[in-house]
Amino acid sequence: MSVSPHPPAPLGDLTPELKYSLQERVEHNLITLVTKLSASRFYHESPALQSLRNALGTPGIGASLDAKSKDVLTSYSDFVPLTMYSDYAPYVARVIPHSDTHVSNVADVRHLLAPGLPAYVAYSSGTTGSAAKHFLKYPSTVYKPLRWDTQEAAVKHSGVMCNIACIRLAKVVRLPDAGEKECHDVHIPVAQVSAGGLRAYLGIEPTEDAYLANHKAPFCATPFAAWLLPAYGSTVYMNAFFGLIEARVECVAMTFSTILCDAVRLIETHWAEWVIAIEHGSLPEIDELGEYCVKLQLRQITPGSEGFLKKVWPNLVLVSVILSGPYATALPKLRHVFGPTVTFQSKIYAATETVVGFGYDVNDYNLYRLDSSEHIELLEVEQQCSIENLRQPYEVVVTNNDGLWRYPLNDVVEVAGFSPTDGQPLIRYVGRKDVTFRIHSEFVSQSFLQQAVISLSGTLGPISEFTVEPDERKPLRAYGFILELQGELGSNAGQALEQLKQYMCRNEGYKKCFDINCIGNPTIRIVPAGTFDAYRNRQADNTMSTPGQVKIPCAITDSAARKWLADRVVADFEIEYGSK
């Protein structure tokens, strides 16, 4: 699904016709979901759905409800509570047991959270310091997988894509046949959602990695071997290198803009040695590398110059990465190295648990059309309210085809309007409900912290990445900003502390606590270029994460991570310029 370059302007209010159309579509989708999920073991067994079962009945595992639409809607509203991960953990454990002494079979796993067998098990990255959570992912209802080496896939993907990705699996669960007719052993991969989703999309089986290591999809710049590397650093390194070799690239794609920045930094740093390697074909098992150097004329390109990557890839028209929320800070750097003629898309808003929305306007990187294939509710941060109230902060709650029932994502969004074509809500990502810490009784969202950092760009110079911690070095705790710059420190850097203080006081809750001396002056510390890249390597190694899942959290409270960053600080503004 591509992002429209010229979508109709969002509506501020729904017309009666669009309101009716939206309600009808939402209700039909919910009835379809409840009917489908009623065939699951979770529906029949979970204490969380006991009241719903009492109202609608139990059709039997593997069979679906035959209830009136009105009854389904009323019962869902009245009897389905907000669920928690602990409600689903026992069912996930049937696929991934806690010990090797218990091995599930195919019958044990069929119809657990949704009808049939899961396609893969996705686990979260644990970015905020919490333990990873596992979610069963069922075959997509949105797209039909196309095996990467088929003619159909070649036709669909006519251009060459440079996709910095990792499809490495954490494990493969083998489910033996328990004697069912026409049933064979089933292998279910366990991976982070970016890896599992890409494998499912390309039709890659969990047992064929050894075969993949010697092949490359015709529409990808990178061989599969580079997607199977075990470490974050080597994965980004080799994907960037092979991308540099392929002159026909039309699209660059990956999950987060910060990963693309890491790749760009590697290209700039290793430019000379990579050009030599390409000229001489010095890497093993790479054929005809020299011809690419002639096509690209790499030696005539200055790495780091404006638009130099457009010269590397003359056919490049699109960069598809997430640019909303904290990832927006990478845009100035990326815009510089790709040049003005390359289009950027923030194509999807998704979490490990579910897809939330798709990009609506190619020129607005934080405007998403709410996904209509799942049932997504927007609840006020404190209580449920109507989605017609624009700019009100809402928490995202999802019931989806993977068997989650009214599951809170802890993401906060605001409604930016409605699609004029069908009334579907358009949303903006605000931040995480549970990540931003509190010093006292204030609430400061991720989006506010992001804007505070962006406001410093004119004073400090372009900022590539940041995080915020509770700075506890003084008796009065403060918001501590740790920043990585794209270049040299700005000439007006001495004004940054006062500027940051004034911006933070725009938040009413923060200002109230600051004025009564419950929060100290915000602090600024600078770390050298490449620090957050190294942090991602560290995080990936510690958590066995794939590149597509490694993120720098907007706010860090983990003591080990905070010490790791503090040890790398090269400039402390309180020491350099003093607190005003």
Side-chain angles (χ1 to χ4, degrees):
M1 182 180 293
S2 61
V3 184
S4 174
H6 302 293
L11 296 176
D13 295 297
L14 285 169
T15 64
E17 294 79 10
L18 286 176
K19 187 173 183 179
Y20 175 79
S21 174
L22 173 62
Q23 181 177 349
E24 189 176 58
R25 185 169 62 254
V26 168
E27 290 181 351
H28 174 76
N29 190 47
L30 178 58
I31 292 166
T32 301
L33 272 172
V34 172
T35 303
K36 172 184 175 179
L37 298 181
S38 67
S40 69
R41 295 180 185 273
F42 185 86
Y43 174 84
H44 286 80
E45 301 170 359
S46 173
L49 299 184
Q50 180 64 60
S51 297
L52 183 66
R53 290 195 297 274
N54 292 341
L56 295 179
T58 51
I61 296 172
S64 297
L65 281 170
D66 183 18
K68 294 181 180 179
S69 298
K70 184 178 179 181
D71 293 340
V72 171
L73 295 173
T74 302
S75 299
Y76 179 90
S77 176
D78 292 345
F79 301 125
V80 179
L82 296 179
T83 59
M84 301 181 294
Y85 180 71
S86 58
D87 294 316
Y88 305 96
Y91 297 87
V92 175
R94 299 186 196 182
V95 183
I96 312 176
H98 296 298
S99 68
D100 294 331
T101 58
H102 173 76
V103 178
S104 298
N105 57 46
V106 172
D108 295 330
V109 173
R110 182 172 279 116
H111 310 315
L112 279 180
L113 299 184
L117 294 170
Y120 66 99
V121 180
Y123 62 92
S124 62
S125 59
T127 301
T128 61
S130 58
K133 298 175 181 177
H134 292 76
F135 296 91
L136 305 186
K137 310 299 286 186
Y138 289 81
S140 173
T141 59
V142 177
Y143 64 83
K144 180 182 178 181
L146 282 177
R147 172 78 182 177
W148 61 271
D149 53 0
T150 62
Q151 182 61 35
E152 293 84 351
V155 171
K156 181 177 180 180
H157 304 283
S158 57
V160 176
M161 175 184 296
C162 176
N163 191 340
I164 297 181
C166 179
I167 58 172
R168 180 170 46 86
L169 300 177
K171 65 185 299 184
V172 177
V173 177
R174 185 181 69 86
L175 302 175
D177 178 7
E180 297 184 7
K181 293 181 180 179
E182 299 181 2
C183 182
H184 305 283
D185 290 2
V186 172
H187 295 85
I188 297 180
V190 180
Q192 292 194 310
V193 69
S194 57
L198 184 56
R199 293 179 72 108
Y201 181 73
L202 295 177
I204 297 173
E205 296 296 330
T207 55
E208 62 172 334
D209 285 8
Y211 171 79
L212 287 179
N214 297 309
H215 290 81
K216 174 174 150 323
F219 47 84
C220 290
T222 307
F224 286 122
W227 285 6
L228 292 166
L229 292 170
Y232 174 84
S234 59
T235 298
V236 178
Y237 184 101
M238 292 309 298
N239 275 267
F241 175 77
F242 279 103
L244 193 65
I245 292 173
E246 176 57 77
R248 299 171 298 162
V249 169
E250 297 179 10
C251 174
V252 173
M254 61 211 65
T255 49
F256 305 117
S257 62
T258 48
I259 299 172
L260 181 53
C261 280
D262 290 345
V264 170
R265 187 180 297 114
L266 285 169
I267 291 173
E268 293 173 343
T269 302
H270 298 282
W271 180 267
E273 62 190 87
W274 285 4
V275 168
I276 293 172
I278 292 171
E279 280 185 328
H280 296 90
S282 56
L283 294 182
E285 300 181 12
I286 301 176
D287 298 326
E288 299 178 346
L289 291 182
E291 67 171 359
Y292 289 106
C293 191
V294 174
K295 292 178 182 178
L296 294 172
Q297 298 179 325
L298 293 179
R299 289 198 177 277
Q300 299 179 24
I301 299 173
T302 303
S305 61
E306 182 176 5
F308 88 95
L309 288 177
K310 175 63 173 175
K311 297 175 183 176
V312 171
W313 298 308
N315 298 332
L316 183 67
V317 294
L318 176 66
V319 173
S320 179
V321 291
I322 294 174
L323 286 162
S324 55
Y327 305 106
T329 56
L331 184 59
K333 169 68 173 179
L334 297 178
R335 177 62 73 192
H336 172 78
V337 297
F338 283 100
T341 62
V342 175
T343 298
F344 285 79
Q345 283 188 0
S346 196
K347 193 172 183 179
I348 190 170
Y349 166 16
T352 300
E353 298 89 334
T354 195
V355 172
V356 179
F358 297 93
Y360 181 75
D361 184 348
V362 75
N363 298 308
D364 191 332
Y365 307 122
N366 191 21
L367 184 62
Y368 298 96
R369 173 189 163 89
L370 203 65
D371 183 17
S372 57
S373 65
E374 315 289 8
H375 182 70
I376 297 177
E377 301 171 68
L378 302 180
L379 308 185
E380 191 180 358
V381 172
E382 297 300 330
Q383 60 182 344
Q384 187 169 352
C385 65
S386 169
I387 63 173
E388 296 176 27
N389 185 3
L390 302 186
R391 290 175 294 278
Q392 172 78 31
Y394 298 100
E395 181 177 5
V396 179
V397 175
V398 63
T399 298
N400 69 4
N401 285 281
D402 292 322
L404 299 180
W405 295 76
R406 300 199 75 213
Y407 187 85
L409 297 186
N410 286 326
D411 277 6
V412 177
V413 301
E414 65 180 23
V415 178
F418 303 91
S419 168
T421 57
D422 60 3
Q424 193 69 13
L426 306 176
I427 59 172
R428 296 188 187 280
Y429 176 80
V430 174
R432 293 283 293 173
K433 182 181 177 183
D434 60 352
V435 169
T436 310
F437 56 82
R438 295 186 181 188
I439 299 296
H440 194 254
S441 58
E442 82 290 352
F443 176 81
V444 180
S445 69
Q446 274 192 5
S447 62
F448 186 87
L449 293 175
Q450 177 198 345
Q451 290 302 316
V453 170
I454 291 174
S455 74
L456 296 174
S457 295
T459 305
L460 296 178
I463 297 165
S464 58
E465 296 189 67
F466 76 96
T467 192
V468 185
E469 66 155 7
D471 192 336
E472 300 167 328
R473 294 176 295 164
K474 291 184 177 181
L476 195 57
R477 296 197 306 157
Y479 280 70
F481 289 74
I482 301 175
L483 313 176
E484 181 180 317
L485 303 179
Q486 293 181 16
E488 297 298 321
L489 195 62
S491 58
N492 297 320
Q495 303 173 13
L497 282 173
E498 180 63 20
Q499 181 181 338
L500 180 59
K501 182 178 76 172
Q502 295 299 325
Y503 193 97
M504 292 296 293
C505 285
R506 294 183 185 181
N507 179 289
E508 292 183 7
Y510 179 94
K511 186 177 187 303
K512 180 179 179 181
C513 295
F514 183 82
D515 289 344
I516 61 175
N517 209 33
C518 291
I519 297 178
N521 286 310
T523 62
I524 297 174
R525 284 173 287 172
I526 305 295
V527 292
T531 297
F532 285 110
D533 180 10
Y535 180 91
R536 277 186 284 276
N537 274 283
R538 173 183 179 273
Q539 179 75 1
D541 291 343
N542 289 345
T543 63
M544 296 298 292
S545 298
T546 60
Q549 296 295 113
V550 181
K551 304 176 284 244
I552 301 296
C554 180
I556 288 183
T557 56
D558 177 71
S559 57
R562 291 165 61 195
K563 183 180 185 304
W564 188 92
L565 288 169
D567 290 343
R568 286 154 179 79
V569 168
V570 294
D572 185 329
F573 275 43
E574 279 206 307
I575 296 174
E576 297 284 340
Y577 302 105
S579 176
K580 297 183 180 180

